[in-house]
Amino acid sequence: MFPGGHLTTSERPRLRAYAIGELAGAQGVGETTWAAAASPQRPHIHPLYIARYVRGNCKMKVTGPLAPLLELEALKQAVRWPNPSLQAIVTLVGQFLAAHRDRDACAYFAERAGEHPDQPIFLALEGLFQARSAASVPLFRRPARVRDALRKLDSAVERAPGLTTYFRGVVQADLPGMFRRREMAVTDLEWVLAHKDQFPIGLRRGVYLGLAKAYAALGNTKAADEALRQSGVASLDGDAPVFVTDWWMTADDGFRFTTPRLLELAPGVHVAQGYDFSDIAFISTREGIVAVDAGTTEAHAVAALAAFRASVSDAPIKWVILTHAHWDHIGGLSALLKSPHTQVIAQSRFADELAMVNSTMLPFRRFFTSEATPTYTVTADRLIGEPTTVSLGGVEFGLYPVTGGETSDGLLVHLPELGVVFAGDVFMPNLGAPFMPEGSIDGLLEAIGRIRDLHPKLLVHGHTPLTDFFTVEALPGLEGSLRELRAHVLDAIRDSRPLTDVLRDNYLPDVLREHPAAVNPYVVMRDNVIQRIYDQRTGYWLPDGEGIDVIAPDAWAAALDLIGGSKQRSFVRAASVLMRQGDLPVALKLIELGLRRYPRDRKLRDLRSQTLEGLRERHQQLNPFKFIVYSRWAGVDLQPAA
């Protein structure tokens, strides 16, 4: 069971990297939206009620979203199962918020609250979405609807303060003065800051934005300006998405999963997180330090090592174990090899993988740092081709080669005395970098079996969210569900089913019912695994005809322009409808094609920016690679949380 109030030590990391924040207050019942009746012009109308015409030479009626939100629908089903995990609930909240499906969410959590009256979190979420959807009812009914929502939030906070307090705070911060809740909003949100160690770092963005709204409404301009600055939001005006994630990304620093910190995850085992896209581990022995992986750049590795030196040890680095040959695990190696006596250990296939890295990488690699793309040269002093036990500085290490799931040169590192396994990127949700020809579901399942046989107490991965979510407790359910998914995809391929149909199956194995901790890891991996298997088991002519004739984007743009009567407004109208109903990827594709015909059109460029912001908002929970790509295309940064 999950609590509705304070977050335990084990639960805090499970919330990390999930957007649950000021999204909860945005687009709700603030001064602007309160007075405005629901109308076709509102920017976030529920997708199921969309019916618009796209006018060119023809009329096309659009009655709803063209593509379902698969993760949202899967999580709705999973949270209906017995004893859902708090991380699954919170992730579902974020998906509802990003999709602006407030009425749907209100009905859903009202159902959950009715079936589980002992769980205050469901009551709080019903109140949250009831308040947010107030603008969808007639004006004279709104005050009563909001007051009823506040009663639910008050009850939930009284029974279980904590996350419920945060939700009440952001709702109150967005209310008009007639409800006399602004001081209470400040109290709630300042309480969250006072207990910030109980909450994800990224949640502070939402707290500060809520405080900025409340302070501004109370006339405290100085406090409002400072809170707004710390929120990272440019202005209280406008309708820009709000990001409440631990992630951050700048052109100079690349992408990071959290703010920099050094954690001791086991006695003598420290992990530097947030100094790089990848994490770097330091294991203390009586003869020196064993480092596991080296980050993306020398500068990032230097910063991580300096943090370790400042607070733990200035002992020399005697060994560096590389879990695989990807750039984000080897790029900073020179910072760790200051002594000629430092030994580098890697898997026997390391050189082959490195050769592929150097020959096939795409410019997406630059999203992780502003530095120029180098050619990597790494020579390992010792190669591991079979399970091997070594003593490094008096500490026993088990080294186990694996061939998946991300690369063929994976190396598991086991500390049997502590029950710790370093998994590298074996569990990378994309089953290999999505822009590289790699990844193996069979290798992943083999690696899970190997890890299971080691009976670890703790899994440490190469990236912070993997360590947080892909835990020992999640492994049994994840293994079973991935085996079922693999069989499902292979059957679909044998039946010549198109990839889009397989994805829309929204396959959720029943084994997850008994393993709530595996739900989020499975949902994060599922579509990537499907695409990877499909890509590896099919040719370039696909069952639906894709690939038989390759048509250039300019030709598609010209054909669509012909349909639209050779008028740019046809692209604008259609893209606007698609955006309103939540079909953001389709809208972006249409806009990009429109810009090929009308490259200087300001309306299309503005729509492109809005669509990219929406896609960043949508993917801030579950897909860092998409978030990185859309952020780069939008040309925008996300600063670290205050």
Side-chain angles (χ1 to χ4, degrees):
M1 301 297 289
F2 56 85
H6 292 286
L7 307 179
T8 67
T9 301
S10 64
E11 289 162 341
R12 286 198 295 272
R14 294 174 185 268
L15 287 176
R16 197 170 293 118
Y18 287 139
I20 58 177
E22 203 324 283
L23 291 167
Q27 294 306 316
V29 290
E31 297 280 12
T32 302
T33 57
W34 183 260
S39 71
Q41 286 72 43
R42 287 191 71 240
H44 296 302
I45 289 190
H46 190 297
L48 297 181
Y49 299 109
I50 296 288
R52 296 291 181 268
Y53 289 93
V54 180
R55 295 181 177 87
N57 282 351
C58 61
K59 295 182 179 181
M60 179 176 64
K61 187 173 183 179
V62 182
T63 58
L66 304 179
L69 297 177
L70 300 176
E71 292 91 347
L72 189 152
E73 296 303 324
L75 288 165
K76 283 173 64 177
Q77 181 178 340
V79 172
R80 284 194 173 98
W81 289 340
N83 304 320
S85 70
L86 183 58
Q87 64 170 260
I89 296 169
V90 169
T91 308
L92 175 58
V93 172
Q95 292 293 298
F96 271 128
L97 291 169
H100 307 284
R101 290 174 56 173
D102 298 330
R103 292 188 64 180
D104 187 10
C106 180
Y108 178 87
F109 286 112
E111 170 199 294
R112 296 289 84 218
E115 293 192 14
H116 298 279
D118 58 324
Q119 301 299 340
I121 189 69
F122 285 141
L123 184 64
L125 292 172
E126 179 188 358
L128 163 70
F129 286 106
Q130 183 173 327
R132 281 179 53 88
S133 60
S136 65
V137 302
L139 186 61
F140 69 91
R141 294 182 180 174
R142 294 180 194 174
R145 181 179 179 88
V146 172
R147 291 190 179 98
D148 184 54
L150 290 172
R151 282 193 291 270
K152 293 169 183 175
L153 285 160
D154 290 343
S155 175
V157 173
E158 181 179 357
R159 294 165 58 190
L163 192 56
T164 56
T165 310
Y166 169 75
F167 286 133
R168 185 176 69 176
V170 293
V171 166
Q172 292 173 146
D174 214 36
L175 290 176
M178 62 181 285
F179 291 98
R180 302 183 182 277
R181 286 279 186 147
R182 287 166 176 165
E183 290 86 355
M184 189 178 290
V186 171
T187 299
D188 280 350
L189 296 173
E190 288 184 340
W191 182 91
V192 173
L193 288 179
H195 298 82
K196 60 185 179 183
D197 290 342
Q198 300 179 18
F199 297 92
I201 293 170
L203 196 68
R204 298 172 199 171
R205 304 180 198 269
V207 173
Y208 282 119
L209 184 54
L211 284 171
K213 292 179 179 180
Y215 287 143
L218 292 169
N220 191 342
T221 304
K222 183 177 180 180
D225 289 345
E226 176 59 19
L228 186 64
R229 182 189 68 79
Q230 295 195 74
S231 75
V233 177
S235 170
L236 292 179
D237 300 326
D239 187 32
V242 177
F243 299 97
V244 194
T245 172
D246 288 10
W247 305 351
W248 58 283
M249 176 180 173
T250 67
D252 291 334
D253 295 313
F255 178 91
R256 313 287 179 88
F257 283 106
T258 187
T259 51
R261 62 193 181 191
L262 184 71
L263 303 179
E264 186 174 18
L265 298 185
V269 177
H270 292 81
V271 179
Q273 299 179 335
Y275 293 91
D276 187 77
F277 179 69
S278 298
D279 298 342
I280 303 174
F282 302 101
I283 303 157
S284 300
T285 77
R286 63 172 180 254
E287 296 179 16
I289 306 302
V290 179
V292 179
D293 288 330
T296 306
T297 70
E298 182 177 9
H300 294 175
V302 165
L305 182 59
F308 176 77
R309 295 282 192 228
S311 60
V312 182
S313 173
D314 59 0
I317 294 179
K318 299 293 291 291
W319 300 273
V320 179
I321 302 175
L322 300 176
T323 60
H324 60 297
H326 271 187
W327 69 98
D328 55 321
H329 295 258
I330 64 173
L333 187 58
S334 59
L336 307 180
L337 298 182
K338 297 306 182 182
S339 167
H341 303 295
T342 302
Q343 295 184 16
V344 177
I345 301 172
Q347 207 242 60
S348 58
R349 295 186 180 90
F350 182 88
D352 294 337
E353 183 70 25
L354 184 62
M356 185 180 71
V357 165
N358 282 327
S359 65
T360 63
M361 280 208 186
L362 299 177
F364 289 121
R365 177 170 54 180
R366 295 188 179 182
F367 293 2
F368 308 110
T369 175
S370 62
E371 296 183 7
T373 302
T375 296
Y376 297 100
T377 302
V378 178
T379 302
D381 299 291
R382 182 170 184 177
L383 295 174
I384 305 299
E386 60 185 16
T388 303
T389 298
V390 297
S391 178
L392 304 179
V395 176
E396 181 180 333
F397 285 74
L399 304 176
Y400 298 92
V402 293
T403 58
E406 184 172 60
T407 66
S408 63
D409 70 326
L411 187 63
L412 301 175
V413 181
H414 182 215
L415 299 178
E417 293 183 7
L418 296 175
V420 176
V421 168
F422 294 89
D425 284 358
V426 164
F427 290 88
M428 198 67 175
N430 295 84
L431 212 61
F435 41 81
M436 289 184 64
E438 60 184 6
S440 167
I441 183 63
D442 296 320
L444 172 59
L445 294 171
E446 176 188 341
I448 292 176
R450 170 66 73 179
I451 293 171
R452 182 183 355 101
D453 293 342
L454 296 175
H455 305 289
K457 300 176 184 176
L458 174 67
L459 282 179
V460 180
H461 299 267
H463 302 275
T464 302
L466 299 183
T467 298
D468 291 342
F469 307 135
F470 286 70
T471 61
V472 171
E473 294 76 18
L475 279 191
L478 184 60
E479 179 181 11
S481 59
L482 289 177
R483 289 190 183 279
E484 287 193 31
L485 179 64
R486 176 186 179 277
H488 177 76
V489 177
L490 293 179
D491 285 344
I493 292 172
R494 280 191 291 269
D495 292 340
S496 297
R497 296 183 61 205
L499 174 61
T500 52
D501 288 359
V502 184
L503 290 168
R504 290 196 182 196
D505 287 343
N506 211 4
Y507 191 71
L508 199 65
D510 203 53
V511 66
L512 291 170
R513 282 178 176 269
E514 306 303 321
H515 299 278
V519 168
N520 269 47
Y522 172 81
V523 171
V524 168
M525 293 191 75
R526 181 190 61 187
D527 291 358
N528 302 312
V529 170
I530 293 172
Q531 288 180 268
R532 183 68 77 181
I533 296 174
Y534 202 95
D535 179 70
Q536 292 174 341
R537 301 298 181 102
T538 58
Y540 55 89
W541 283 14
L542 299 180
D544 58 1
E546 282 294 316
I548 294 176
D549 285 300
V550 179
I551 302 173
D554 284 341
W556 280 119
L560 289 172
D561 199 22
L562 183 63
I563 294 173
S566 299
K567 298 175 181 177
Q568 63 73 229
R569 66 173 180 264
S570 299
F571 285 99
V572 171
R573 288 172 175 168
S576 298
V577 170
L578 291 167
M579 288 174 60
R580 286 199 298 270
Q581 66 190 31
D583 282 308
L584 299 183
V586 183
L588 180 62
K589 177 62 71 174
L590 182 62
I591 291 165
E592 296 284 8
L593 292 172
L595 285 169
R596 287 179 175 270
R597 302 294 289 176
Y598 307 99
R600 297 182 180 180
D601 188 79
R602 178 172 296 179
K603 290 182 179 179
L604 284 174
R605 290 188 173 278
D606 288 345
L607 286 174
R608 181 179 186 272
S609 297
Q610 295 169 31
T611 303
L612 288 170
E613 285 294 274
L615 287 165
R616 293 174 72 228
E617 178 185 21
R618 178 176 295 179
H619 293 295
Q620 66 175 302
Q621 287 184 285
L622 298 175
N623 198 313
F625 277 98
K626 288 187 178 182
F627 181 86
I628 291 166
V629 170
Y630 291 134
S631 295
R632 184 61 179 264
W633 288 350
V636 294
D637 292 344
L638 180 64
Q639 297 296 327

